[in-house]
Amino acid sequence: MHKDGDVILGGLFQIHFFSTYPDLSFNSEPQHPTCHGFDVLGFRQAQTMAFAINEINRNSNLLPNVTLGYSLYDNCLQLGIGFRAALALVSGQEEQVDLPETCVGTPPVLGIVGDSSSTRCIAISSVLGLYRVPMVSYFATCSCLSDRQKFPSFFRTIPSDAFQVRAVIQILKRFGWTWAGLLISDDDYGLNAARSFQSDLSQSGAGCLAYLEILPWGEDPDELRRIVDVMKKSTARVVIVFAHESHMINIMEEVVRQNVTGLQWIASEAWTSAAVLQTPRLMPYLGGTLGIAIRRGEIPGLRDFMLQIHPDLHHSYEYNLVNQFWEHTFECRFSPPPAGWLEAGGALCTGQEDLEKVETEFLDISDLRSEYNVYKAVYSLAYALHDMLQCESGRRPFSNHSCGSLQRLEPWQLVYYLEKVNFSTPVGDQVLFDENGDALPIYDIMNWMWLPDGRTEVQTVGEVKKLPLKGEQLTLDEDKIFWNFESKKPPRSVCSESCPPGTRMARKKGEPVCCFDCIPCSEGKTSNKTDSTECTSCPEDFWSSPQRDHCVPKQIEFLSYNEPLGICLTTTSLLGTFICAVVLGIFIYHRQTPIVRANNSELSFQLLLSLKLCFLCSLLFIGRPRPWTCQLRHAAFGISFVLCVSCILVKTMVVLAIFKASKPGGEASLKWFGAVQQRGTVLILTCVQATICTAWIVSASPAPHKNTQYYNDKIVYECVVGSTVGFSVLLGYIGLLAVLSFLLAFLARNLPDSFNEAKLITFSMLIFCAVWVAFVPAYISSPGKYADAVEVFAILASSFGLLMALFGPKCYIILLRPERNTKKAIMGRGTK
């Protein structure tokens, strides 16, 4: 197709499916037909370019006083034919050129619109780039064409596969499909798409590929059967296909044969609008397909322009594309018809047939996509040429500050202006190219709806576009999407279900990162998000909840007044205090009786008061530890017991002194054990312990401490002794006095019965020492609050032992055997 003009634009379109002679030459009058299988959509794309140029020529504001022409070639879907066509366009050479006297020949081709195939564009643009001839493709999507080092003069009005891949990834993210299969064609389109998809999917962390299969060209039953077996066995419910219609036809035949249903297909732009796949036979399998489609546009006036097409009855059929279109549309033949055509009932074309009265997709302009890209490509070249011709003397971009002119146009000059072109189409879409020659990327999201009456409708359900500085933006109307599943909801397609909070992902060995096990967080660690890769340790004072999804304050443990053990010990302590008070009252009431007077009543009163303090000091070990209780508990305990044991020691010494004084010549020993000396001895011994406690508290004071060593999930509040030496000296001093009392009482155990209190002292000190000897290992081995409980128990046990052993028999005599509470009875026992 050719039209003269001041400037010629070339075009490469797929108008035939097949070629009989791939090694053809583009002669002005070829001898034989080379291509067959008329493609109506390819012809419509070529007519769209013709319409755009015609519209530009009628626009007085765009390229005034310049007439655009075109020279369009058919690539016949063959690389060799398309490559030869491109070379013929840029060379401007024909086999026969008739030059009139003015020597004005065919205008040079300034730029080319095309091709539709990435493979052909790679081959053609690699050559055209050497001469900086601009090439604007309307359908080549391979991301490799964005390489400006290899393809410096290549532009396109369709987004690259790199963006298409990211658009598919956005869909996967939207529905949570992290496990998908990928089928690709065995060409530049499929292989580059697979390379970009794997790279972008890995970087985005949006999912993993369950399998990657290359679809064979043509029919290969064994390979197709193997691929479908892989799809059927895989747990991936989503299948992404970057391939062409022919590949999909072949693979779907095998899918139908094996009846593989329940798959969610995602289509690349190469087959999203393929009507050949939207059949009642295939829709049970392909219904609900989501596809990436070229942006739909509107071209006002295109239909009226195409209705003006009429056949040329004066040119040969073979190389008149309009005539071929006419025959294809009306199923007739121009004269002379092929042999046997009329005999078979075929009709002759008259050229008067009415296009409006025939049903043809040629006139269906409701879904212009590739045609819209052709329209934008032509206008891009026109606006670039317009800007170049509007060059002002003060703003000359080329060497020597020169401007391009209509008489000396160079293709490389147009490349410079194409890089800066920026305009809007009649419907408001902005057109400009980035530094790689790619247009502003935007895609429609299509959905294959299978209607109840068996019809198929491909509807637009959203769009995905690139926003400056924001990346890809996906907009979907999910309520409009048809899902070909019983649930009428999106399918689940994951290798492993998401790990809930409280667990972490552990990758399965030898499998993709999307395949993992969910491992519960260990104690003390939590994860509060879905699909956490690791568990986070809780702060020191916190512990993991039973679900391991959040941290909770650790349980605080100490010997409390509210728990059964604390209540029991408190009750026992108060009971001991009460008994001491009762015994003291009994002794005060019966202080004039012989048994009270005979047992040194003053020391007995002091001993009862000290025992009472011993019982009360145990209460300091119960309750939440505080600084003052920690400091006071051991001091009170040490001083109370030293006071108690000092009284017992002095009583024992007094017994021995009295016994010695009862013998001839022993009266002088009593002068050392008068009342003053007894009080002084007790006071001095107690002051020594008070000094030890004071030095301990001043040098290394006991203090509350949060102990997390005993239990992981509990904080044990305890009083640390501060100085182990101080605590050991305190206990050692008590033990020294106790042992000394025991030894003296033991020596006096065989005294006459009138002095038998030595036996009671011996027995009481034996109990006392036994309790505290057992206390040391029990205290060391008891954790947390039980260490305090052991110490309280030792205090109560030793106190009760002293109280019962020393005062039990006396109370028995005072209360139950008053007849024995006489001086005579006591002396009688002593002389027996």
Side-chain angles (χ1 to χ4, degrees):
M1 296 173 58
H2 183 78
K3 179 181 179 180
D4 290 331
D6 299 329
V7 177
I8 301 297
L9 300 181
L12 298 174
F13 298 95
Q14 173 189 314
I15 300 179
H16 291 90
F17 288 114
F18 309 106
S19 62
T20 305
Y21 304 106
D23 188 24
L24 81 155
S25 60
F26 286 90
N27 300 319
S28 58
E29 293 182 3
Q31 302 299 315
H32 302 285
T34 57
C35 301
H36 56 94
F38 196 80
D39 183 0
V40 174
L41 296 182
F43 183 65
R44 188 169 70 182
Q45 291 168 1
Q47 289 297 324
T48 301
M49 180 171 177
F51 166 76
I53 289 178
N54 183 65
E55 188 177 63
I56 292 168
N57 287 336
R58 290 186 286 108
N59 187 345
S60 60
N61 296 320
L62 183 60
L63 291 175
N65 304 319
V66 176
T67 300
L68 290 182
Y70 55 80
S71 185
L72 312 183
Y73 278 87
D74 179 10
N75 60 40
C76 298
L77 203 61
Q78 291 292 326
L79 173 59
I81 297 175
F83 191 78
R84 284 190 164 208
L87 294 183
L89 284 170
V90 298
S91 66
Q93 297 176 359
E94 298 289 344
E95 206 167 281
Q96 283 186 338
V97 180
D98 294 328
L99 296 178
E101 294 180 0
T102 57
C103 289
V104 177
T106 303
V109 172
L110 197 59
I112 295 178
V113 174
D115 194 313
S116 60
S117 161
S118 294
T119 299
R120 292 192 292 273
C121 282
I122 291 171
I124 295 170
S125 189
S126 61
V127 175
L128 298 190
L130 298 175
Y131 304 97
R132 298 300 190 271
V133 177
M135 182 176 186
V136 185
S137 175
Y138 55 89
F139 214 68
T141 60
C142 179
S143 57
C144 59
L145 288 165
S146 297
D147 188 345
R148 296 313 266 177
Q149 297 295 324
K150 294 181 179 179
F151 312 104
S153 62
F154 180 81
F155 300 84
R156 53 183 159 193
T157 55
I158 185 173
S160 75
D161 283 337
F163 182 74
Q164 184 177 191
V165 162
R166 293 194 292 271
V168 171
I169 292 175
Q170 289 294 321
I171 295 175
L172 296 180
K173 285 183 176 181
R174 180 64 169 264
F175 297 106
W177 295 331
T178 60
W179 190 234
L182 179 61
L183 305 181
I184 61 171
S185 56
D186 189 10
D187 57 7
D188 292 308
Y189 173 72
L191 296 175
N192 280 283
R195 191 177 301 113
S196 296
F197 191 86
Q198 289 178 300
S199 174
D200 291 354
L201 190 67
S202 175
Q203 291 178 10
S204 67
C208 308
L209 286 180
Y211 53 85
L212 170 59
E213 297 293 339
I214 300 177
L215 298 175
W217 286 98
E219 296 183 5
D220 188 345
D222 293 337
E223 180 64 9
L224 292 172
R225 188 180 304 111
R226 185 194 66 79
I227 292 174
V228 174
D229 284 339
V230 171
M231 296 165 57
K232 187 163 59 174
K233 294 176 182 178
S234 174
T235 57
R237 297 293 88 200
V238 174
V239 182
I240 305 163
V241 185
F242 283 91
H244 307 284
E245 292 181 22
S246 58
H247 295 95
M248 282 302 299
I249 292 172
N250 293 332
I251 194 67
M252 288 311 299
E253 289 296 327
E254 184 64 26
V255 168
V256 172
R257 194 186 70 80
Q258 296 194 31
N259 193 29
V260 182
T261 58
L263 297 179
Q264 175 63 49
W265 297 83
I266 297 182
S268 68
E269 43 77 27
W271 64 277
T272 293
S273 303
V276 69
L277 297 171
Q278 300 164 17
T279 64
R281 181 167 177 263
L282 297 181
M283 283 305 290
Y285 305 91
L286 289 175
T289 294
L290 290 174
I292 304 295
I294 302 168
R295 178 72 164 178
R296 187 183 72 84
E298 296 181 3
I299 307 177
L302 177 61
R303 191 174 189 275
D304 294 335
F305 176 82
M306 293 190 297
L307 284 172
Q308 297 175 7
I309 295 175
H310 285 90
D312 186 350
L313 303 180
H314 303 290
H315 288 78
S316 173
Y317 152 78
E318 289 90 349
Y319 296 98
N320 189 311
L321 293 178
V322 175
N323 288 8
Q324 293 185 40
F325 162 72
W326 207 263
E327 290 188 347
H328 175 82
T329 302
F330 293 102
E331 297 180 352
C332 61
R333 292 292 182 270
F334 284 99
S335 180
W341 174 258
L342 297 177
E343 291 77 0
L348 284 176
C349 298
T350 65
Q352 302 302 314
E353 290 85 0
D354 191 351
L355 275 175
E356 286 195 284
K357 293 182 179 180
V358 68
E359 186 177 346
T360 173
E361 59 182 335
F362 177 73
L363 294 177
D364 182 10
I365 61 171
S366 62
D367 193 39
L368 298 178
R369 297 186 185 276
S370 59
E371 294 83 359
Y372 189 50
N373 284 344
V374 172
Y375 184 77
K376 292 188 291 184
V378 175
Y379 264 89
S380 298
L381 290 168
Y383 271 101
L385 179 60
H386 178 82
D387 292 342
M388 182 172 69
L389 297 179
Q390 296 298 315
C391 174
E392 298 177 3
S393 57
R395 298 165 57 188
R396 297 171 179 176
F398 307 126
S399 60
N400 300 323
H401 303 286
S402 61
C403 288
S405 64
L406 188 60
Q407 290 73 29
R408 300 187 62 181
L409 291 177
E410 296 290 343
W412 62 267
Q413 296 173 331
L414 196 63
V415 171
Y416 172 84
Y417 284 98
L418 264 175
E419 292 172 346
K420 301 181 181 304
V421 77
N422 188 343
F423 67 95
S424 295
T425 65
V427 295
D429 285 341
Q430 187 181 18
V431 179
L432 56 90
F433 300 104
D434 63 14
E435 65 277 6
N436 298 318
D438 295 328
L440 280 177
I442 183 169
Y443 276 117
D444 288 336
I445 307 299
M446 312 303 293
N447 179 231
W448 291 19
M449 180 182 292
W450 190 21
L451 301 175
D453 59 3
R455 292 185 299 110
T456 300
E457 179 181 333
V458 180
Q459 60 175 349
T460 302
V461 294
E463 67 176 19
V464 58
K465 58 185 177 181
K466 185 176 182 180
L467 298 178
L469 306 177
K470 293 185 179 179
E472 299 78 28
Q473 182 187 64
L474 173 65
T475 304
L476 272 182
D477 187 352
E478 296 187 30
D479 295 334
K480 290 176 61 178
I481 298 178
F482 169 76
W483 301 106
N484 194 26
F485 303 95
E486 291 184 4
S487 64
K488 302 301 179 184
K489 295 180 179 179
R492 289 281 295 166
S493 186
V494 296
C495 182
S496 300
E497 290 296 334
S498 295
C499 290
T503 62
R504 63 176 178 85
M505 296 189 301
R507 182 177 174 182
K508 293 181 179 179
K509 188 176 181 180
E511 296 191 29
V513 294
C514 297
C515 302
F516 48 82
D517 293 318
C518 296
I519 307 298
C521 292
S522 57
E523 290 186 346
K525 295 186 176 182
T526 62
S527 64
N528 56 6
K529 296 181 181 178
T530 301
D531 290 337
S532 295
T533 56
E534 59 182 14
C535 298
T536 305
S537 298
C538 290
E540 183 179 2
D541 292 346
F542 289 81
W543 193 247
S544 55
S545 64
Q547 296 77 23
R548 307 285 197 274
D549 58 355
H550 66 282
C551 294
V552 295
K554 287 184 178 180
Q555 181 182 349
I556 297 175
E557 182 179 84
F558 54 86
L559 188 58
S560 170
Y561 289 106
N562 300 320
E563 60 180 303
L565 180 59
I567 292 173
C568 181
L569 294 175
T570 301
T571 303
T572 305
S573 174
L574 294 177
L575 177 62
T577 304
F578 176 74
I579 294 174
C580 285
V582 171
V583 173
L584 180 60
I586 293 172
F587 269 54
I588 292 175
Y589 185 79
H590 296 280
R591 63 184 178 279
Q592 300 300 329
T593 59
I595 196 168
V596 174
R597 296 181 65 186
N599 285 280
N600 197 333
S601 59
E602 184 177 347
L603 283 178
S604 297
F605 294 153
Q606 290 181 6
L607 182 57
L608 284 170
L609 287 173
S610 64
L611 284 174
K612 194 173 183 180
L613 292 175
C614 290
F615 281 115
L616 290 175
C617 79
S618 64
L619 298 177
L620 294 173
F621 291 85
I622 305 173
R624 188 186 187 97
R626 303 184 185 280
W628 67 272
T629 57
C630 289
Q631 294 173 355
L632 191 58
R633 63 168 57 174
H634 289 108
F637 154 70
I639 293 173
S640 299
F641 268 89
V642 165
L643 178 61
C644 178
V645 176
S646 297
C647 292
I648 295 173
L649 177 61
V650 170
K651 283 177 68 75
T652 307
M653 294 170 65
V654 169
V655 169
L656 289 173
I658 293 173
F659 174 70
K660 188 175 181 181
S662 64
K663 294 183 178 181
E667 295 84 357
S669 60
L670 283 176
K671 67 178 181 178
W672 299 104
F673 292 97
V676 176
Q677 286 82 0
Q678 295 175 24
R679 296 190 198 101
T681 303
V682 171
L683 180 61
I684 291 172
L685 294 176
T686 304
C687 286
V688 172
Q689 183 71 305
T691 303
I692 294 173
C693 293
T694 302
W696 176 21
I697 292 174
V698 170
S699 61
S701 177
H705 173 65
K706 294 180 179 180
N707 194 326
T708 58
Q709 303 301 316
Y710 297 131
Y711 308 102
N712 290 326
D713 57 343
K714 295 179 182 179
I715 297 176
V716 177
Y717 268 25
E718 60 182 7
C719 289
V720 291
V721 295
S723 171
T724 305
V725 174
F727 186 53
S728 301
V729 171
L730 182 145
L731 291 178
Y733 183 63
I734 296 174
L736 176 64
L737 295 181
V739 171
L740 184 59
S741 298
F742 173 75
L743 291 176
L744 291 178
F746 183 77
L747 293 175
R749 70 188 186 284
N750 293 321
L751 295 179
D753 287 346
S754 56
F755 304 101
N756 66 353
E757 190 170 16
K759 294 181 180 180
L760 300 178
I761 293 174
T762 303
F763 181 64
S764 65
M765 295 315 298
L766 182 63
I767 296 174
F768 183 88
C769 292
V771 168
W772 286 102
V773 168
F775 159 78
V776 175
Y779 181 82
I780 293 174
S781 61
S782 298
K785 65 180 182 180
Y786 298 103
D788 291 336
V790 167
E791 191 166 356
V792 171
F793 179 79
I795 292 172
L796 296 178
S798 58
S799 299
F800 271 111
L802 294 176
L803 180 63
M804 293 298 106
L806 293 175
F807 296 99
K810 298 172 184 176
C811 290
Y812 172 76
I813 294 173
I814 293 172
L815 299 177
L816 300 179
R817 302 294 296 273
E819 69 276 5
R820 295 174 56 181
N821 189 9
T822 63
K823 187 174 180 180
K824 182 178 180 181
I826 294 174
M827 295 303 294
R829 291 196 301 273
T831 59
K832 186 177 179 180

